[in-house]
Amino acid sequence: MKIYKSLGILLLLTSGNCFSGELVKDAEITRIGNSSDGKTDNFFITVSGGSGPCTNQHIIFPRSKAPSAEFFNRLYSTALLAYSTGSKKVRIYNPTDDNCREATYIDLIK
């Protein structure tokens, strides 16, 4: 019986890691730009509001983390669409950790 309790507690403690990749949810993009140093291939956005570890911060989408150039271009297009339409609900994700400098996913929520 103690083994089941121990396994249950361990499962509860580690289950939080399942959501570690969501950087921000229900946020608004207030700024968008490309790399400032001219050497790295990335773009950044600044978000306002929402919830998550990157709330009210800059979030960087590096080209090196995208599986292809086309995928990276779609990320940028989606971010531009959210910014230009004033979408107040975006979700940004990093599948590996909570690093705000390595985002690889964005979606718009209506």
Side-chain angles (χ1 to χ4, degrees):
M1 188 68 166
K2 282 186 175 183
I3 290 177
Y4 292 120
K5 285 183 182 180
S6 297
L7 287 174
I9 291 172
L10 182 63
L11 181 62
L12 286 174
L13 292 174
T14 59
S15 66
N17 291 336
C18 295
F19 303 104
S20 66
E22 190 168 79
L23 301 179
V24 69
K25 183 177 181 179
D26 295 331
E28 178 182 8
I29 297 175
T30 57
R31 184 176 173 199
I32 189 168
N34 58 4
S35 60
S36 59
D37 62 6
K39 296 177 185 174
T40 53
D41 190 7
N42 64 44
F43 70 93
F44 72 91
I45 61 173
T46 304
V47 293
S48 177
S51 60
C54 299
T55 301
N56 299 319
Q57 295 184 41
H58 299 295
I59 299 173
I60 298 173
F61 292 79
R63 165 62 184 97
S64 62
K65 295 294 179 178
S68 68
E70 293 80 15
F71 186 89
F72 182 73
N73 290 338
R74 286 192 303 270
L75 286 171
Y76 188 59
S77 296
T78 304
L80 283 174
L81 176 67
Y83 181 75
S84 64
T85 61
S87 175
K88 298 198 184 312
K89 292 188 178 184
V90 296
R91 181 174 70 115
I92 301 167
Y93 190 76
N94 173 347
T96 56
D97 55 34
D98 289 342
N99 186 345
C100 300
R101 301 179 61 83
E102 295 184 349
T104 59
Y105 180 83
I106 182 171
D107 67 3
L108 309 179
I109 305 164
K110 185 173 180 179

